[in-house]
Amino acid sequence: MKDLPAQPRDLDGNPVTPGLPMAMLAEITHRCPLACPYCSNPVELTRSQAELPAEDWARVFREAADLGVLQVHISGGEPGARRDLAQIVESASAAGLYVNLITSGIGITRQRLEELDSAGVDHVQLSLQGIRPDMADRISGHPGSWDKKMGFSEWVTEIGFPLTINAVVHRQNMERLPDMIELAESLGARRIEVATVQFHGWADLNRKALMPTREQAAFARQVVNDARVRLRGRLVIDYVPADHHAVYPKACMGGWGSTGLNVAPDGSVLPCHAANSIDWLQFENVRDRSLSDIWHLSDAFNAFRGTEWMAEPCRSCERKNMDFGGCRCQAMAIAGDARATDPVCSKSPLHAQVVARAEEDADADTAELIYRRMKKGG
Ligand code: SF4
Ligand code: FES
């Protein structure tokens, strides 16, 4: 592990006290019936034998609530792959957390969804991979997924859950974004999250098939801007733009270790879903230490708090407290240095290289997908 500051500091050497997390992503399993090629899960997936048991999740939820977490996103993989999902939800709800279930809608029957309602699910977020059966089934790698998802979305609204549609957009479906927004509205969603694929985990293996063109990125931005005006008061649109074509990076996670944390299926606690790509960080586990200690004291969480760790050009940049130098995992992936300026930033010395690579990937003449699969025995 590199030398890490025991106490995060700003550029004047003043100690920085971390804020409190509002949201926690609980990835309760990596098992999933779908095989989406843009999955943000790590390429090395956690096997079922290593998953944290429901009793441990109950303790983690209580510790999260004590720490200040208000909402938990129960996710995976597919959370429905765990038979004890209702028990896990019940303990999150009992801890006083607002429970958002992030699901593919595959493998959860109507009866089970009703049980999850009783157990305390407050909100459902359903992923859609396309606006027609052929596209949705091809991208998800799961024949029949479209029909199952449409049935599931009906149950969601019949039972009365607030619904968010999660649509990951990329070169193979970006032109259908207007139809996707229309579909979300027709399904009764109150919110749609339009997320341009982020090239971490499995997605990075599929850059050449999924990287949007600059024109598509501009088109998507316009579609979102227009729809936000047209649908104001009816449908909220969250948007994660294609940052490879942007001028400045996004403030990833709202800043490292500042507003949220992820607990992986094996109980390790990460500042973001891709943090284990930074191979010199060591992540502590809720089996060994309390969530509060991990949040406040662990080296991994303190590594990129404050501004003292920053290199130029971030150190002297007026945006350093707005975007916090961008995404640490992207800096690691592209610059090979997690402390570097996010290379998608136009001030990064690697920016021209990043843009050239993104344009080369976007021009690639392939639609072939490498699907996310767990090795046998998972
Ligand atoms: Fe953000 Fe750093 Fe770029 Fe400035 S130089 S805009 S702080 S990433
Ligand atoms: Fe890890 Fe952006 S995905 S900091």
Side-chain angles (χ1 to χ4, degrees), residues 125-142:
Q125 187 167 327
L126 173 66
S127 63
L128 291 184
Q129 283 73 20
I131 50 114
R132 285 199 326 258
D134 53 346
M135 166 65 82
D137 293 358
R138 193 179 87 77
I139 298 290
S140 67
H142 186 95

Side-chain angles (χ1 to χ4, degrees), residues 67-217:
L67 182 57
V69 169
L70 300 175
Q71 51 182 304
V72 60
H73 305 286
I74 296 188
S75 172
E78 167 50 54
R82 281 195 64 149
R83 294 215 178 97
D84 53 3
L85 174 59
Q87 185 186 344
I88 291 173
V89 165
E90 206 161 18
S91 63
S93 183
L97 300 173
Y98 182 87
V99 180
N100 176 28
L101 179 69
I102 301 181
T103 177
S104 65
I106 310 290
I108 298 183
T109 60
R110 171 154 193 154
Q111 186 190 339
R112 209 163 163 219
L113 194 57
E114 284 168 0
E115 284 163 15
L116 292 170
D117 183 29
S118 307
V121 168
D122 294 295
H123 177 276
V124 174
Q125 187 167 327
L126 173 66
S127 63
L128 291 184
Q129 283 73 20
I131 50 114
R132 285 199 326 258
D134 53 346
M135 166 65 82
D137 293 358
R138 193 179 87 77
I139 298 290
S140 67
H142 186 95
S145 69
W146 167 266
D147 290 341
K148 291 176 190 162
K149 281 167 183 278
M150 291 301 105
F152 181 85
S153 74
E154 276 174 29
W155 303 335
V156 167
T157 42
E158 282 165 14
I159 293 171
F161 293 109
L163 172 67
T164 291
I165 294 295
N166 173 257
V168 175
V169 291
H170 44 78
R171 192 166 82 239
Q172 298 194 31
N173 68 2
M174 216 168 226
E175 267 133 40
R176 308 309 299 266
L177 179 55
D179 304 313
M180 182 61 90
I181 293 172
E182 202 174 293
L183 176 64
E185 211 195 351
S186 71
L187 294 177
R190 296 187 192 172
R191 181 179 288 266
I192 180 171
E193 186 181 290
V194 177
T196 308
V197 65
Q198 302 291 297
F199 291 98
H200 301 298
W202 289 80
D204 198 48
L205 306 175
N206 286 287
R207 294 174 61 95
K208 290 199 178 300
L210 298 178
M211 181 67 78
T213 64
R214 183 179 288 276
E215 294 72 30
Q216 284 181 316

Side-chain angles (χ1 to χ4, degrees), residues 200 250 252-253 256 271-275 278 326-330:
H200 301 298
K250 60 182 178 303
C252 199
M253 295 298 293
W256 182 274
C272 71
H273 59 271
I278 303 174
C327 174
R328 295 306 86 224
C329 302
Q330 195 143 255

